Amino acid sequence: MARWLLVHPPLLGPAILQPLAAELRRRGHSVQVPDLRAAVATAPGWPERWTAAAATGPADVVLGFSGAGVTLPAVAVAGAARRVVWVDALMPARSGVTAPDEEIRSLVTPLIRGGRIADWTTWWGPDALDELIPDARLRAAVRAEGHELPADFYDVPVPVPTAWPEGGARYVQLSLAYDGAAEEARSRGWPVTGTGTGAHLDVASDPGRVADLLG
């Protein structure tokens, strides 16, 4: 049995990772999925608040999904983890700080209203989430956790610790959108699993397959 810490992305709440958490528990593991939304209510200092809130106790494995990827080295250090798993997640810089992503900044600029970025669950139109998350109860839980990030959220660089357990890093690719991140992981010598032929939200809709890929 391993102690897993699952880290949701800043744009979503912990509900998106609950199916995977349930699957890991079914396989005999201990799993924590902290709610980190309060850490991103304001932009300045959010990476430090995020790391402190995520470190709920010692963990053997830290897993991050999507936008949580840039925070994983710091969270792994705070939780004294030996293994770190990226699941269809953004890659951190090799050292120093992870600079704000220009692609996401361009994407969210038209979605800013009143100093806040629109709730992610509304980005793709009223019916898109029905297709992305077929399970009605899970979809309702994800929607209920919808929140708006501050407009300057993606202006904040995320520090990378000088030492973290990179020897235990692993990348799991679910969708083609993360081809570049998976290739970067390979270039660093990390094991990469998954073909990238699934969907980004398979982490919620097909947790058994994702758990198999975790190794």
Side-chain angles (χ1 to χ4, degrees):
M1 182 184 79
R3 297 168 298 178
W4 288 73
L5 171 63
L6 308 190
V7 185
H8 66 80
L11 284 166
L12 291 168
I16 199 70
L17 290 174
Q18 292 299 348
L20 181 58
E23 178 63 24
L24 290 171
R25 292 186 186 111
R26 189 184 69 79
R27 299 183 184 204
H29 301 290
S30 169
V31 186
Q32 296 292 322
V33 193
D35 186 345
L36 307 176
R37 288 175 293 165
V40 293
T42 58
W46 80 260
E48 292 75 21
R49 292 193 303 272
W50 180 274
T51 299
T56 55
D60 300 310
V61 190
V62 168
L63 178 153
F65 172 60
S66 195
V70 296
T71 71
L72 294 190
V75 173
V77 170
R82 300 188 307 272
R83 295 170 54 203
V84 195
V85 183
W86 278 254
V87 176
D88 240 27
L90 299 178
M91 288 286 287
R94 295 186 182 226
S95 62
V97 298
T98 305
D101 185 278
E102 291 301 327
E103 184 176 351
I104 188 68
R105 289 172 74 173
S106 297
L107 176 64
V108 302
T109 295
L111 301 171
I112 295 172
R113 299 289 186 278
R116 310 292 292 184
I117 300 169
D119 172 4
W120 181 88
T121 66
T122 69
W123 286 14
W124 321 111
D127 301 321
L129 209 61
D130 295 358
E131 297 180 16
L132 294 171
I133 307 176
D135 183 274
R137 292 180 65 180
L138 176 60
R139 187 168 65 246
V142 170
R143 275 202 174 105
E145 292 181 350
H147 62 284
E148 299 178 343
L149 294 176
D152 55 346
F153 180 80
Y154 292 105
D155 294 337
V156 179
V158 180
V160 179
T162 54
W164 61 277
E166 188 172 1
R170 181 184 189 90
Y171 199 95
V172 176
Q173 185 185 4
L174 303 181
S175 66
L176 292 175
Y178 285 79
D179 272 349
E183 187 55 38
E184 173 63 17
R186 289 189 188 94
S187 76
R188 300 187 193 187
W190 301 3
V192 177
T193 59
T195 61
T197 55
H200 187 51
L201 293 188
D202 282 352
V203 70
S205 58
D206 196 358
R209 183 176 76 85
V210 175
D212 287 343
L213 291 170
L214 297 179

